[in-house]
């Protein structure tokens, strides 16, 4: 089962170049607790911005350059491989960026976990629209962000 997870500003911003426009320790901890011991799927730009596989998680990097070096990760050159492998799987697999990967995999995701960051942030990378495909079913308030869980309609 594919589940998209991210943090975004009120304007859907998820990045500014290769960087996340905020640094909120509790939100990073939420991401870590949620994804620990699971598989992560991300694009090569997101992987490059992190710089290494995250501990205690299997990382699958989608990159159309078969020679892309993502040491410690599985590199997949065809997004259909991810879709076919995980869309009907009982294994929870977290899609964690970037914008292009989210846009392409959102139709195959069964759930979204979105942290809405409080405050105004500028950026040039945005999460795609999702409200017509998903409905909220749970919300958790934190000091600097709100986590909202969505299920596919």
């Amino acid at each position: 089962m594919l589940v998209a997870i991210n943090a975004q500003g009120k304007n859907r911003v998820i990045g500014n170049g290769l960087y996340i426009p905020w640094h909120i320790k509790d939100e990073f901890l939420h991401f870590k607790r949620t994804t620990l011991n699971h598989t992560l799927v991300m694009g090569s730009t997101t992987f490059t911005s992190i710089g290494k596989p995250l501990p205690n998680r299997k990382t699958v990097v989608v990159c159309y350059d078969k020679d892309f070096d993502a040491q410690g990760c599985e590199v997949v050159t065809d997004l259909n491989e991810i879709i076919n492998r995980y869309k009907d799987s009982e294994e929870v697999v977290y899609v964690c960026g970037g914008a292009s990967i989210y846009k392409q995999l959102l139709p195959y995701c069964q759930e979204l976990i979105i942290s809405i960051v409080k405050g105004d942030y500028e950026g040039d990378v945005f999460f795609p629209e999702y409200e017509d495909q998903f409905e909220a079913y749970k919300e958790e308030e934190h000091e600097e962000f709100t986590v909202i869980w969505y299920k596919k309609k």
Side-chain angles (χ1 to χ4, degrees):
M1 172 173 62
L2 293 170
V3 177
I5 184 169
N6 74 33
Q8 59 184 259
K10 291 181 249 177
N11 58 351
R12 285 189 212 284
V13 70
I14 59 173
N16 194 2
L18 288 177
Y19 304 99
I20 298 172
W22 48 80
H23 184 83
I24 301 171
K25 184 179 178 183
D26 285 346
E27 205 291 316
F28 287 131
L29 288 172
H30 158 71
F31 177 86
K32 180 180 180 179
R33 280 191 305 269
T34 303
T35 63
L36 207 58
N37 301 313
H38 288 282
T39 298
L40 304 179
V41 172
M42 65 183 73
S44 57
T45 302
T46 299
F47 176 77
T48 300
S49 73
I50 297 169
K52 61 184 178 188
L54 295 172
N56 301 310
R57 283 158 276 198
K58 176 183 175 186
T59 302
V60 180
V61 178
V62 179
C63 183
Y64 304 107
D65 174 4
K66 65 180 182 199
D67 297 323
F68 182 76
D69 184 20
Q71 199 161 7
C73 303
E74 176 186 356
V75 177
V76 172
T77 58
D78 184 352
L79 200 58
N80 286 320
E81 185 178 335
I82 297 296
I83 294 165
N84 293 331
R85 189 188 311 175
Y86 296 119
K87 73 174 181 165
D88 295 322
S89 171
E90 290 190 25
E91 176 186 359
V92 177
V93 175
Y94 291 97
V95 178
C96 54
S100 175
I101 298 299
Y102 283 131
K103 185 175 183 177
Q104 294 175 75
L105 289 180
L106 210 57
Y108 303 98
C109 289
Q110 294 302 308
E111 294 186 25
L112 307 178
I113 303 171
I114 298 178
S115 295
I116 305 294
V117 177
K118 298 173 185 177
D120 295 315
Y121 295 92
E122 292 186 22
D124 56 4
V125 184
F126 297 88
F127 192 73
E129 292 187 20
Y130 55 91
E131 290 83 358
D132 60 335
Q133 301 173 60
F134 296 87
E135 59 188 355
Y137 69 90
K138 179 179 168 185
E139 198 169 301
E140 185 177 282
E141 192 70 31
H142 295 263
E143 185 177 335
E144 297 178 87
F145 62 98
T146 302
V147 182
I148 306 172
W149 285 262
Y150 295 86
K151 282 194 184 274
K152 191 168 218 88
K153 287 184 178 178

